[in-house]
Amino acid sequence: MTAATPLSTSSAHSHLLIRRLLEAGLRRAPEQEIVYADKRRLSYREFGARVGRLASGLAALGVQAGDTVAVMDWDTHRYLECFFAVPMMGAVLHTINVRLSPEQILHTINHARDDVILVNAEFVPVLEQIWSRVDAGKRLVLLDDIGAPLQTALEFVAEYERLLDTAEPEFDFPELDENTRATTFYTTGTTGLPKGVYFSHRQLVLHTLAVRDALGGPGQGRFNAGDVYMPITPMFHVHAWGLPYVATMLGAKQVYPGRYASERLVDLLERERVTFSHCVPTILQMVLDGAAARDVDLSEWTVIIGGAALMQSLARQAVDQGVDIFGGYGMSETGPVLALAQLQPHMLDQDVDRQVEIRCKTGRAIALVDLRIVDDEMNDVPHDGKSAGELVVRAPWLTQGYLHDPASSENLWRGGWLHTGDIAVIDADGYVKITDRLKDVIKTGGEWVSSLDLEELILRHPSVAEAAVIGMPDPKWTERPVALVVLKAGQAADAAGLRTHLHQFAVQGLISKYGVPERVVFVESLPRTSVGKLDKKSMRVQLNDLQGDQR
Amino acid sequence: MTAATPLSTSSAHSHLLIRRLLEAGLRRAPEQEIVYADKRRLSYREFGARVGRLASGLAALGVQAGDTVAVMDWDTHRYLECFFAVPMMGAVLHTINVRLSPEQILHTINHARDDVILVNAEFVPVLEQIWSRVDAGKRLVLLDDIGAPLQTALEFVAEYERLLDTAEPEFDFPELDENTRATTFYTTGTTGLPKGVYFSHRQLVLHTLAVRDALGGPGQGRFNAGDVYMPITPMFHVHAWGLPYVATMLGAKQVYPGRYASERLVDLLERERVTFSHCVPTILQMVLDGAAARDVDLSEWTVIIGGAALMQSLARQAVDQGVDIFGGYGMSETGPVLALAQLQPHMLDQDVDRQVEIRCKTGRAIALVDLRIVDDEMNDVPHDGKSAGELVVRAPWLTQGYLHDPASSENLWRGGWLHTGDIAVIDADGYVKITDRLKDVIKTGGEWVSSLDLEELILRHPSVAEAAVIGMPDPKWTERPVALVVLKAGQAADAAGLRTHLHQFAVQGLISKYGVPERVVFVESLPRTSVGKLDKKSMRVQLNDLQGDQR
């Protein structure tokens, strides 16, 4: 033989299918529990039968392989049933983001070409608003916790529980090609319409196995078969980070909380003895405060934080309450998990401050993830904890692009790498730390200066209430940072004093000296987006106008 | 959409390659150790560089993608380097079974079309015997622990350590198709020439992830990053059950013992604090006795037993010495792991005898394995712990067939399932127990009676020294069991007494009443194969001759 000969795809080629994850869990723990808040308890055995019933019921409604089945629900056992039954039939599960505006939801329903929508009674009013503009042919199934008659003009082809009651638990799930599309979900960019990402059976199975590997073991930062799992990032958001698939494969006890309310979350944490969750920082804050107020013990709770940077102050509060907390990194486009910031065993000897610092990093790439930080020419940047570059990745579970959107897809995938748009450093231990978004980083004199770092340092000045730093074009240095500052009440504008304040950090090596802005603009308030993020795009426009005026 | 549409293979399709396992280990634990007996200690970082050097060195010798590189060595860090470097280059690693006869080794070298053979100095005499009949063009690389000049007429193109010394640690490993063949290995059937099985990158990666999943967690029956791994089934035998790949991905400390000698194994277990191994029952017995004689503590040692049935007496001895022991199941053809017999948490409350009984089972199917027991018509047999059927399997890591042997391959894969030739029962907990080989099971009156079960019960009779039961054709019942018995010295032949002895077990439900043989033949000795197994084929011939005489 003179060339590498790929093996043929024969009967020995066993496809990577979502049904294998369910089968593993059913074999391991048929009597294990799946709990929906205070409403329902199922064994895995019953759950498995309900997955079969759901598939039979959907088939009876006409759902076929290749169809798209959408869900609008809070986190429930029903949603988990859809996670399995819909892709296992060869259909595509569209997890509708119920936090989007009705107009955006309308766009995603039509854009994803949903055939059937399973809708929680709570979201029926949303559908009523947009139904006249929904493309023809979509059928509705009602998900109802309440049981009270629903006042609506919408027509339902079935109610979920009655559909299951009358359907056969046996369904002849097809042996699919592993590259069959399994799920789709819409991301919410800061601009434009939501964009659809999508994942195949193969991708979800490999994500499950790699996340399981990253979390398997004794000690800190772990998720094993004996744990009790409760998601606190929504199931509509990249399959709750894929953890329900991991939990099911493991045969772990699972608790689905419905809508996130602080009281209920703390109740369930305590009552069901939850030991493993994942959430965003704001929800963590809510749970920590709720648990503290009621003196609930969280010392058996491990939680991955993602969605936004984990601040050291919050992480410290969690650690002080006994929580095993660490950061994770990923995006809707990446399936999502790419990296986790668990401590390594030798770090458990370090002091709590240092541990907290590591827990707040973006983490180390998990198995099968190929992760680089690169400059504008795709050259690798040193892993010294200081040199910043754009994070680009390859892994077997990244979206191939945006649904029906070739232009955006081409921008996402360049040169065989998915471009995250995040700026990061990697330290000698291999831990990644996101420092900025590419669009917000300031490129000056051949260096990349983090706007987030600068903002944090400016905020340490006693007279500053709010701060934003943006890069403005500069003929000599490419860009120069400009600081926009809102002062606390009664404080005087002192640009020189602020620059002196920043110079001291440059001397300490916390920022480059090129990072200290010459220009400080004092403003009444900073423009923010609808979700409260700094709106740097509109700041750039404002500053441009200002410069135009000054010329 | 009206049909399930597979996604195209685009840049987002990240292939499952063995290099990703090495990269994961290097990221997790660059300073972790890999130890070769008392001869060498490497860090993962050094190991990674040596993998690069080996690839550079082999490339300098002319090795290309698609070539086959064979190894004859004991268990060493060198072998582990070959596990990675050779497939990562796109070449095929042929792990030569050094326990075969020189004639069989000759067959495998020519049949696998080896291009380069890396040979430990100890095996040079074997090659000398057969070299004149080895096909032209094969080149030899010497693996040398001794350093003394070698007296041989064979020519070597390089010595391993000098090859690495002069080669670059950087090698541009290609991005291969995941279905590229990675390894090949020859099984030793009881009859005929050894047959080649083969595995792709994809198969080895998926086997690694699924075994990792099955072993991840706290408590009993586990293998995690903090463990210290030492194989005690040879690396030439289905990649030491794939565990070196798991260990490397985890970044666990690894200890390679060289040739298996009881003294050295016990030394290494103690000195390197080994916590995880796998071996066959005979080696376990040797290690247990060696450790007991020297009062070595084995209470931190977990070990998977495979290759032959784990007897309860041996398992009990291991448990009494503090060893966490359990059975595993697989074959060369299956990559190999299909099932593991770890205890479930609730079983830890049961008494030791019951625990030992479970530990000695064949185990529960691991994730992604689809395992059935079926009758002659491929109908599923009940999972009641009593009904026996042939074990047939699908999984993503089974050999596609036998190398250059379509006839045997067709017999292995029938109806989309790999036929193991093993007869098994599955209990309500999902634990599989192998009861017989298909060729030895007795099919009588529509029931399958295990020859092994019958033999074990006959052996309980005080006057019996040895026993074998075989099925002989019967016009009414298809087959009937015939017992061949060797009596202890001075005991009288009493067929009726022996049948009464067996009837009592039929009354207890331990065997079917149809299983009690009418015919008991007393013989001087039982024919055995060269490796000491009962030779039932020749017994059948002898009994046939005997029946012919009687007619």
Side-chain angles (χ1 to χ4, degrees):
Chain A
M1 287 190 279
T2 52
T5 31
L7 302 170
S8 67
T9 302
S10 77
S11 54
H13 187 88
S14 197
H15 284 270
L16 300 176
L17 301 181
I18 287 171
R19 63 185 290 189
R20 302 280 170 255
L21 306 178
L22 176 59
E23 287 164 2
L26 288 172
R27 263 199 309 263
R28 284 173 171 166
E31 304 310 327
Q32 183 61 274
E33 281 186 310
I34 296 172
V35 180
Y36 168 35
D38 53 358
K39 297 187 174 60
R40 183 131 198 179
R41 310 185 85 84
L42 301 170
S43 70
Y44 268 59
R45 199 189 297 278
E46 291 168 303
F47 175 78
R50 285 173 59 90
V51 168
R53 286 179 188 279
L54 175 55
S56 300
L58 289 174
L61 296 179
V63 172
Q64 298 178 1
D67 284 359
T68 298
V69 176
V71 177
M72 296 178 78
D73 199 2
W74 301 118
D75 291 4
T76 65
H77 65 293
R78 292 184 298 250
Y79 222 138
L80 190 67
E81 286 153 12
C82 294
F83 270 36
F84 287 94
V86 174
M88 282 165 60
M89 297 175 75
V92 179
L93 175 70
H94 172 201
T95 57
I96 293 179
N97 183 341
V98 297
R99 299 231 181 97
L100 294 178
S101 70
E103 287 302 316
Q104 287 177 313
I105 289 175
L106 171 67
H107 168 74
T108 68
I109 289 173
N110 286 338
H111 191 265
R113 299 167 193 169
D114 296 339
D115 295 289
V116 174
I117 303 170
L118 281 60
V119 58
N120 185 313
E122 283 193 56
F123 301 114
V124 167
V126 175
L127 282 188
E128 284 173 335
Q129 284 181 56
I130 58 176
W131 196 248
S132 64
R133 284 176 293 149
V134 165
D135 294 344
K138 290 154 183 21
R139 286 151 289 160
L140 295 175
V141 173
L142 182 67
L143 311 178
D144 183 15
D145 289 328
I146 305 156
L150 201 64
Q151 301 294 324
T152 178
L154 295 183
E155 281 180 34
F156 296 92
V157 292
E159 186 275 323
Y160 189 87
E161 286 301 326
R162 265 165 285 174
L163 184 69
L164 265 60
D165 282 347
T166 55
E168 287 296 321
E170 304 297 330
F171 185 84
D172 189 18
F173 289 107
E175 286 294 326
L176 303 164
D177 184 302
E178 67 189 25
N179 293 312
T180 305
R181 188 177 301 164
T183 62
T184 191
F185 163 70
Y186 283 77
T187 65
T188 45
T190 44
T191 54
L193 287 164
K195 291 198 275 286
V197 295
Y198 51 99
F199 304 99
S200 67
H201 282 255
R202 169 190 165 96
Q203 294 185 306
L204 293 171
V205 169
L206 291 173
H207 183 269
T208 303
L209 289 169
V211 170
R212 157 61 176 147
D213 166 51
L215 294 172
Q220 181 270 336
R222 296 297 179 261
F223 180 31
N224 295 298
D227 279 302
V228 179
Y229 167 68
M230 181 168 80
I232 326 184
T233 48
M235 297 179 82
F236 62 71
H237 188 259
V238 227
H239 341 100
W241 301 357
L243 269 310
Y245 286 120
V246 178
T248 305
M249 178 180 73
L250 286 172
K253 177 175 168 182
Q254 303 182 54
V255 180
Y256 289 89
R259 186 176 190 159
Y260 302 157
S262 169
E263 187 76 6
R264 186 187 300 166
L265 293 175
V266 175
D267 270 354
L268 289 170
L269 277 168
E270 183 175 36
R271 182 153 39 86
E272 303 294 342
R273 300 170 184 276
V274 172
T275 63
F276 184 80
S277 296
H278 43 83
C279 67
V280 294
T282 47
I283 298 252
L284 177 70
Q285 184 73 65
M286 191 171 92
V287 170
L288 290 179
D289 293 346
R294 290 166 47 189
D295 213 15
V296 170
D297 178 14
L298 297 181
S299 66
E300 297 296 318
W301 195 38
T302 292
V303 60
I304 307 178
I305 301 297
L310 171 59
M311 292 295 154
Q312 291 191 27
S313 54
L314 178 60
R316 182 62 198 242
Q317 181 185 342
V319 167
D320 289 344
Q321 283 183 243
V323 179
D324 176 18
I325 189 175
F326 57 99
Y329 173 65
M331 310 158 54
S332 300
E333 288 83 349
T334 64
V337 180
L338 296 172
L340 294 172
Q342 296 139 304
L343 296 180
Q344 295 174 261
H346 72 269
M347 295 170 174
L348 296 171
D349 301 331
Q350 298 174 346
D351 67 45
V352 175
D353 286 342
R354 172 69 187 142
Q355 287 186 18
V356 164
E357 193 184 312
I358 297 162
R359 290 170 184 274
C360 290
K361 294 206 179 206
T362 307
R364 291 189 301 166
I366 67 173
L368 306 188
V369 172
D370 203 357
L371 182 151
R372 296 165 64 194
I373 47 172
V374 296
D375 65 19
D376 286 338
E377 276 86 43
M378 286 294 282
N379 300 307
D380 285 288
V381 159
H383 294 192
D384 55 12
K386 291 185 176 176
S387 306
E390 187 185 2
L391 208 53
V392 298
V393 288
R394 291 190 302 202
W397 52 78
L398 313 182
T399 189
Q400 288 190 18
Y402 297 109
L403 209 56
H404 317 312
D405 187 350
S408 300
S409 303
E410 262 180 45
N411 189 48
L412 182 69
W413 278 98
R414 277 172 282 142
W417 294 81
L418 185 146
H419 288 247
T420 64
D422 282 326
I423 301 299
V425 297
I426 301 181
D427 67 19
D429 285 329
Y431 284 82
V432 180
K433 175 87 186 171
I434 304 293
T435 57
D436 217 338
R437 286 292 294 171
L438 182 58
K439 59 183 171 48
D440 296 332
V441 82
I442 297 144
K443 296 176 184 177
T444 186
E447 285 202 36
W448 289 10
V449 174
S450 162
S451 64
L452 299 186
D453 283 355
L454 274 173
E455 287 159 8
E456 199 196 313
L457 295 174
I458 293 172
L459 282 169
R460 295 196 195 173
H461 192 283
S463 54
V464 173
E466 290 180 72
V469 177
I470 56 178
M472 293 300 289
D474 181 278
K476 186 172 174 190
W477 304 108
T478 315
E479 287 188 334
R480 286 301 298 151
V482 175
L484 286 82
V485 171
V486 179
L487 292 171
K488 288 179 183 163
Q491 299 293 323
D494 175 10
L498 202 59
R499 295 184 63 242
T500 307
H501 166 80
L502 287 176
H503 269 298
Q504 90 189 13
F505 297 118
V507 170
Q508 291 170 29
L510 289 179
I511 45 167
S512 147
K513 63 179 176 168
Y514 306 109
V516 179
E518 290 81 24
R519 206 167 151 220
V520 179
V521 182
F522 295 93
V523 293
E524 290 296 308
S525 66
L526 294 172
R528 291 186 181 269
T529 67
S530 60
V531 292
K533 289 187 179 175
L534 288 173
D535 184 355
K536 295 199 171 175
K537 206 171 169 185
S538 99
M539 291 180 206
R540 275 188 203 100
V541 173
Q542 284 178 18
L543 273 181
N544 251 332
D545 291 351
L546 205 58
Q547 277 184 318
D549 290 349
Q550 288 175 330
R551 266 181 214 133
Chain B
M1 287 191 280
T2 52
T5 31
L7 302 171
S8 67
T9 302
S10 77
S11 55
H13 186 87
S14 196
H15 284 269
L16 300 176
L17 301 181
I18 287 171
R19 63 185 290 187
R20 303 280 169 255
L21 306 178
L22 176 59
E23 287 164 3
L26 288 172
R27 266 200 308 264
R28 284 173 171 168
E31 304 310 327
Q32 184 62 274
E33 281 186 309
I34 296 172
V35 179
Y36 168 34
D38 53 359
K39 296 185 175 60
R40 185 133 196 178
R41 308 183 89 84
L42 300 169
S43 70
Y44 269 58
R45 199 189 297 278
E46 291 168 303
F47 174 78
R50 285 174 60 90
V51 168
R53 287 179 187 277
L54 176 55
S56 300
L58 290 173
L61 296 180
V63 172
Q64 299 179 1
D67 284 357
T68 298
V69 176
V71 177
M72 295 178 77
D73 199 3
W74 302 118
D75 291 6
T76 65
H77 65 292
R78 292 183 298 248
Y79 222 139
L80 190 68
E81 285 153 13
C82 294
F83 270 36
F84 287 94
V86 174
M88 281 165 61
M89 297 175 74
V92 179
L93 175 70
H94 171 200
T95 57
I96 293 180
N97 183 340
V98 296
R99 298 230 182 100
L100 294 180
S101 69
E103 287 303 315
Q104 288 177 314
I105 290 176
L106 172 67
H107 169 75
T108 67
I109 288 173
N110 287 337
H111 191 263
R113 300 167 193 169
D114 296 339
D115 295 290
V116 174
I117 304 171
L118 281 60
V119 56
N120 184 314
E122 284 193 55
F123 301 114
V124 167
V126 175
L127 282 188
E128 283 173 335
Q129 285 182 55
I130 57 176
W131 195 249
S132 64
R133 284 174 294 150
V134 166
D135 293 345
K138 289 155 185 16
R139 285 151 290 160
L140 295 176
V141 173
L142 182 66
L143 311 178
D144 184 13
D145 288 330
I146 306 159
L150 202 63
Q151 300 296 325
T152 179
L154 295 183
E155 280 177 36
F156 297 92
V157 293
E159 186 276 322
Y160 190 86
E161 285 302 325
R162 264 166 285 174
L163 184 69
L164 266 62
D165 282 347
T166 55
E168 287 297 319
E170 303 297 329
F171 185 84
D172 189 18
F173 289 106
E175 285 294 327
L176 303 165
D177 184 300
E178 69 189 26
N179 293 313
T180 305
R181 189 177 301 164
T183 62
T184 191
F185 163 71
Y186 283 77
T187 66
T188 44
T190 43
T191 55
L193 287 165
K195 293 199 275 283
V197 296
Y198 51 99
F199 304 100
S200 67
H201 282 255
R202 169 188 164 99
Q203 293 185 306
L204 292 173
V205 169
L206 291 171
H207 182 269
T208 302
L209 289 168
V211 170
R212 158 63 176 147
D213 166 51
L215 294 172
Q220 182 270 334
R222 297 297 181 260
F223 181 31
N224 295 297
D227 279 302
V228 179
Y229 167 67
M230 180 169 80
I232 327 186
T233 48
M235 296 177 84
F236 62 71
H237 189 259
V238 229
H239 342 98
W241 301 357
L243 268 309
Y245 286 118
V246 178
T248 305
M249 178 180 74
L250 286 172
K253 177 175 166 183
Q254 303 183 51
V255 180
Y256 289 89
R259 184 175 190 159
Y260 301 156
S262 169
E263 187 76 4
R264 185 187 300 165
L265 293 174
V266 175
D267 268 354
L268 289 170
L269 277 168
E270 184 174 38
R271 182 153 40 88
E272 302 295 342
R273 300 171 185 277
V274 172
T275 63
F276 184 80
S277 296
H278 43 83
C279 66
V280 294
T282 48
I283 297 254
L284 177 70
Q285 184 73 66
M286 192 171 89
V287 171
L288 290 179
D289 294 344
R294 289 167 46 188
D295 213 15
V296 170
D297 178 14
L298 297 180
S299 66
E300 297 297 318
W301 195 38
T302 291
V303 60
I304 308 178
I305 301 297
L310 172 59
M311 293 295 153
Q312 292 191 25
S313 54
L314 178 60
R316 182 63 198 243
Q317 181 185 344
V319 167
D320 289 344
Q321 284 183 243
V323 179
D324 176 17
I325 189 173
F326 58 98
Y329 173 66
M331 310 160 54
S332 300
E333 288 83 349
T334 64
V337 180
L338 296 172
L340 294 172
Q342 295 138 303
L343 297 180
Q344 295 174 261
H346 72 267
M347 295 171 176
L348 296 172
D349 301 333
Q350 298 174 347
D351 66 47
V352 176
D353 286 342
R354 172 68 187 143
Q355 287 188 17
V356 164
E357 191 184 314
I358 296 161
R359 289 170 184 273
C360 291
K361 294 207 180 204
T362 308
R364 292 189 301 165
I366 66 173
L368 307 187
V369 172
D370 204 356
L371 181 152
R372 296 166 64 195
I373 48 172
V374 296
D375 65 18
D376 286 338
E377 277 86 43
M378 286 294 283
N379 300 308
D380 285 288
V381 159
H383 293 191
D384 56 12
K386 290 184 178 178
S387 305
E390 187 186 2
L391 207 54
V392 299
V393 288
R394 291 191 302 203
W397 52 78
L398 313 183
T399 190
Q400 288 191 16
Y402 296 108
L403 207 57
H404 317 313
D405 186 352
S408 301
S409 302
E410 262 180 44
N411 190 48
L412 183 69
W413 279 98
R414 277 173 281 140
W417 293 82
L418 184 147
H419 288 247
T420 64
D422 282 326
I423 300 301
V425 298
I426 300 182
D427 68 20
D429 285 328
Y431 284 82
V432 180
K433 175 89 186 169
I434 304 293
T435 57
D436 218 338
R437 285 293 293 171
L438 181 57
K439 59 182 169 48
D440 296 332
V441 82
I442 297 144
K443 296 175 183 177
T444 186
E447 285 203 38
W448 288 10
V449 174
S450 162
S451 64
L452 299 187
D453 282 356
L454 273 174
E455 288 160 10
E456 198 196 312
L457 296 174
I458 294 172
L459 282 170
R460 294 196 195 173
H461 192 283
S463 55
V464 173
E466 290 179 72
V469 176
I470 55 178
M472 293 301 290
D474 182 280
K476 185 170 178 192
W477 304 107
T478 314
E479 286 187 333
R480 286 299 300 150
V482 176
L484 284 83
V485 171
V486 178
L487 292 172
K488 288 180 184 163
Q491 299 292 325
D494 174 12
L498 202 59
R499 296 185 63 242
T500 307
H501 166 81
L502 288 176
H503 269 297
Q504 92 190 13
F505 297 118
V507 170
Q508 291 169 30
L510 288 180
I511 46 167
S512 148
K513 64 178 174 168
Y514 306 108
V516 178
E518 290 82 22
R519 205 167 151 219
V520 179
V521 181
F522 295 93
V523 292
E524 290 295 308
S525 67
L526 295 173
R528 290 187 183 268
T529 68
S530 59
V531 294
K533 289 187 179 175
L534 287 174
D535 184 355
K536 295 200 173 175
K537 206 169 167 185
S538 98
M539 291 180 209
R540 274 186 204 99
V541 174
Q542 284 178 17
L543 275 180
N544 251 332
D545 292 348
L546 205 59
Q547 277 181 318
D549 291 347
Q550 289 173 334
R551 261 181 217 133

